[in-house]
Amino acid sequence: MKQSIFIFVLLAALTIQSAKAQESNYINISVDAGLVANTGRDKKFGMGGTIGWLTQDNLLSLNPNNYISLSVKAFNNPYGKGKLISSIKNDNDDGFNYIMPLAGYRFTQEGIANGFFVEPRIGAVFGASYAGFAFSPIAGYGVQQFNFALYCDMGFGNKTSAILKKNFFTPGISIGYNINLN
């Protein structure tokens, strides 16, 4: 886990250096809701959030409508007698929690403010006694500074997690807001 966090911080530091030449930088904050589709436990509604940094791509494709992203996502899906808030950090076995540091590339129709977007994201996933590879694509529509999107978090690990599976799939919806840093 410490090694993955170090890699994430290193990527962020390298990307921030190139951000000085960028025209558009945004902080994206979103609320995410969904449920783990392949759980071995009862299916309950889960919630989480994502905080990320989007910077206009002047490095790879030189397309001003595309953005490089770095983000961290946290999600909690309670089960059994678990409640949405109280199952986040307690000694009971009543919630599937995970954190995902992610790197992605956002393809947009007309820039960050308006139009459709698609953003494939990859990274790592960490939970209580669970770690693995993460893939989390998101697609949606931007209106002004708001994003309305569908996502699917996928985690692929070697150990059985709290949902009694080695892998998980969490489809859901996301509502986000972009804060302009320029």
Side-chain angles (χ1 to χ4, degrees):
M1 182 170 148
K2 290 180 183 179
Q3 195 174 40
S4 296
I5 292 172
F6 174 74
I7 291 170
F8 184 74
V9 170
L10 180 63
L11 284 173
L14 291 173
T15 309
I16 288 171
Q17 188 65 359
S18 68
K20 294 177 184 174
Q22 307 297 324
E23 294 178 16
S24 298
N25 289 293
Y26 296 90
I27 295 292
N28 176 274
I29 299 171
S30 66
V31 174
D32 307 318
L35 59 93
V36 178
N38 67 325
T39 182
R41 311 259 187 181
D42 59 342
K43 293 182 180 178
K44 282 190 175 179
F45 178 74
M47 287 194 73
T50 305
I51 185 163
W53 173 59
L54 297 164
T55 185
Q56 191 175 40
D57 178 19
N58 289 333
L59 301 172
L60 303 174
S61 72
L62 304 177
N63 184 341
N65 289 337
N66 296 339
Y67 292 80
I68 297 168
S69 70
L70 294 173
S71 56
V72 176
K73 180 173 190 163
F75 195 81
N76 176 37
N77 204 154
Y79 53 81
K81 294 185 180 185
K83 303 291 183 214
L84 196 58
I85 302 296
S86 65
S87 66
I88 292 174
K89 182 95 173 137
N90 62 23
D91 293 334
N92 300 330
D93 183 20
D94 61 358
F96 176 55
N97 309 304
Y98 59 85
I99 295 176
M100 299 173 118
L102 300 163
Y105 194 83
R106 183 174 285 202
F107 300 93
T108 69
Q109 187 179 23
E110 298 179 28
I112 201 82
N114 296 306
F116 290 101
F117 68 88
V118 174
E119 183 180 344
R121 304 177 294 187
I122 61 170
V125 60
F126 303 101
S129 70
Y130 179 80
F133 172 75
F135 181 60
S136 179
I138 186 168
Y141 192 81
V143 177
Q144 300 292 322
Q145 297 298 333
F146 289 94
N147 296 326
F148 303 93
L150 300 173
Y151 70 88
C152 185
D153 291 344
M154 295 172 261
F156 306 96
N158 292 332
K159 292 183 176 181
T160 302
S161 67
I163 62 166
L164 307 176
K165 306 277 184 174
K166 290 184 180 180
N167 305 323
F168 70 88
F169 306 96
T170 307
I173 60 171
S174 176
I175 299 174
Y177 186 76
N178 298 313
I179 301 167
N180 192 340
L181 298 177
N182 296 328

